[in-house]
Amino acid sequence: SGKLDWDNETETSGHVNMSHTGGEWLVDRQVVFSLTVLVALCGLVGNDGICWLLYSQVWSSPYVTYILNLATVDMVNLSCVTVILLEKILMLYHQVTLQVAMFLEPVSYFSDTVSLCLLVAMNIESFLCVLCPTWCCHRPKHTSAVMSILSWALALSLHVVSQVCE
């Protein structure tokens, strides 16, 4: 039976090499980072289009407020991820680091928390409409705005507590 040569990273007959060389791992990271930046930029364009459409049209759905908040917080998150990955690409190609990740990663985590809180608020409101159909008819006018503000406040408080406790 053949064996795997870990020192030379070569294969013997009938066995697959289980490790990557440093160069292969570097190329994998470059491709993944570049594709992720491309997808994030497409997401930014898409969210910008959603915001423009919803701001330019006056729609009276209670979910428009939630969707605008979600699109805004998603744009913040995608911007942070794009800049962090561009810094990593700079590091891979030119060994230059700007240290922006330490400032933008907490913002990215905060925006993730806000989006989760907004999704929970939307789901609770949908649940109330299904469970109590009269809720949709007698719903307070500014419920979406209040819940969006509470979602931002809750996410900020959770973020501050997590930063203090670390």
Side-chain angles (χ1 to χ4, degrees), residues 2 7 21 41 48 51 62 70-71 97-98 103 109-110 114 118 132 165:
D7 297 327
T21 63
L41 289 174
D48 187 45
C51 285
L70 278 170
T97 182
L98 305 172
F103 297 110
Y109 294 143
F110 168 70
V114 171
L118 288 167
C132 305
C165 291

Side-chain angles (χ1 to χ4, degrees), residues 60-76:
S60 62
S61 169
Y63 292 100
V64 170
T65 303
Y66 290 127
I67 293 170
L68 281 171
N69 276 283
L70 278 170
T72 303
V73 78
D74 196 32
M75 286 173 42
V76 169

Side-chain angles (χ1 to χ4, degrees), residues 32-44:
V32 169
F33 288 165
S34 300
L35 287 175
T36 306
V37 167
L38 182 66
V39 169
L41 289 174
C42 290
L44 278 169

Side-chain angles (χ1 to χ4, degrees), residues 74-119:
D74 196 32
M75 286 173 42
V76 169
N77 191 16
L78 288 171
S79 298
C80 291
V81 167
T82 301
V83 172
I84 290 168
L85 287 175
L86 287 174
E87 179 188 23
K88 290 184 185 290
I89 290 170
L90 267 174
M91 181 63 183
L92 287 173
Y93 285 115
H94 303 292
Q95 285 71 40
V96 175
T97 182
L98 305 172
Q99 300 296 327
V100 295
M102 63 187 248
F103 297 110
L104 292 180
E105 280 180 356
V107 175
S108 179
Y109 294 143
F110 168 70
S111 64
D112 283 339
T113 307
V114 171
S115 63
L116 288 173
C117 291
L118 288 167
L119 287 171

